[in-house]
Amino acid sequence: MLVVFASRHDAGARSLVARWASHDAALLTAEDLSVAGWRHSLGSSATDRAVVGGRLVATGEIAGVLIRWPCVLPTDLGHIDPEDREYVAAEMTAFLRSWLTQLRCPVLNRPTAISLLGPAWRPEQWVHTAAGLGIPVRPIRRHARFAATASTLASPDHATVTVLGDRCFGETHAVLAGHARRLAAAAGAALVDFQFTGPDAGAALISADLFASLDGDERADAVLALLLNATGRPS
């Protein structure tokens, strides 16, 4: 079974689940966390159970998990009393972080202390790490009145490199693909979009986005291969 954790409003996630139907893919949403049947034991998963798409499954049946949502938000919990949504969202996020971290199957991207979606670094962290790797970067400047200056934003002619495991997608120079792979590896992220100032070899890094673009057959198949090949199953 493959699990995609996402917002129930995420059409892209639903499309992936439908595409991977032959692999018993299912969508896990915040609503599932309110359904009776969950069992999660720290240090041992032999008897753990989950509710995915309203269906009770043994944790051992899950072959891989794709994460497409950074946390449970109060707005995801329309079935919870409004006064309790903020608290319940925080508790559900903490539970998911523990559950996802303990899973032995491939999890893309694995949760970190601040995000279920992976290393949710600030722009400065991405740029600092990239510069340390010798990757050209666009400087970031912040002011008290604004979150960031225009120097942190992608220009109209920017180029994107999508890293999916050891594969890169995007119409850019091979040098940028190499930069993207090295930076993703340094961050411990399997899926990430990197924006550069242009497609040429000398372009500078602008930003990173862990909500990587998975549109198109090639990208969806690349993620499926990451989820299945790591378990020794054919893609």
Side-chain angles (χ1 to χ4, degrees), residues 4-235:
V4 179
F5 170 63
S7 163
R8 63 187 176 87
H9 302 296
D10 188 339
R14 292 188 179 278
S15 177
L16 287 173
V17 167
R19 180 184 182 86
W20 298 339
S22 62
H23 298 282
D24 194 20
L27 186 67
L28 170 64
T29 66
E31 286 87 346
D32 287 316
L33 292 164
S34 292
V35 179
W38 283 85
R39 179 182 294 168
H40 172 47
S41 305
L42 294 177
S44 175
S45 60
T47 61
D48 281 7
R49 300 180 305 189
V51 178
V52 183
R55 172 177 143 204
L56 185 64
V57 298
T59 299
E61 296 177 20
I62 300 174
V65 180
L66 172 64
I67 301 175
R68 299 294 285 170
W69 204 231
C71 63
V72 177
L73 299 173
T75 52
D76 296 327
L77 303 176
H79 60 294
I80 300 295
D81 189 294
E83 293 183 357
D84 297 329
R85 287 175 190 168
E86 187 172 348
Y87 171 77
V88 172
E91 289 296 302
M92 285 182 170
T93 297
F95 174 82
L96 277 175
R97 181 178 295 111
S98 176
W99 180 71
L100 289 166
T101 299
Q102 188 165 298
L103 288 178
R104 297 181 180 178
C105 63
V107 178
L108 309 174
N109 287 315
R110 275 200 178 266
T112 61
I114 58 174
S115 174
L116 299 179
L117 197 55
W121 289 358
R122 294 181 179 275
E124 291 87 348
Q125 290 175 280
W126 287 107
V127 168
H128 176 76
T129 302
L133 293 172
I135 299 171
V137 298
R138 174 181 282 186
I140 292 178
R141 298 180 179 86
R142 290 184 181 265
H143 300 280
R145 293 180 58 192
F146 302 100
T149 66
S151 64
T152 67
L153 305 177
S155 59
D157 59 346
H158 80 283
T160 300
V161 177
T162 300
V163 176
L164 304 178
D166 61 357
R167 298 186 63 185
C168 288
F169 296 83
E171 298 180 2
T172 62
H173 196 282
V175 168
L176 297 189
H179 291 339
R181 283 193 191 93
R182 289 192 294 130
L183 186 51
L191 312 180
V192 57
D193 278 348
F194 292 108
Q195 287 76 43
F196 292 87
T197 53
D200 300 325
L205 176 75
I206 300 173
S207 62
D209 184 359
L210 293 170
F211 200 79
S213 173
L214 304 183
D215 295 336
D217 294 347
E218 266 197 297
R219 298 182 185 215
D221 289 345
V223 174
L224 179 62
L226 281 174
L227 292 171
L228 297 185
N229 287 350
T231 66
R233 304 184 184 190
S235 61

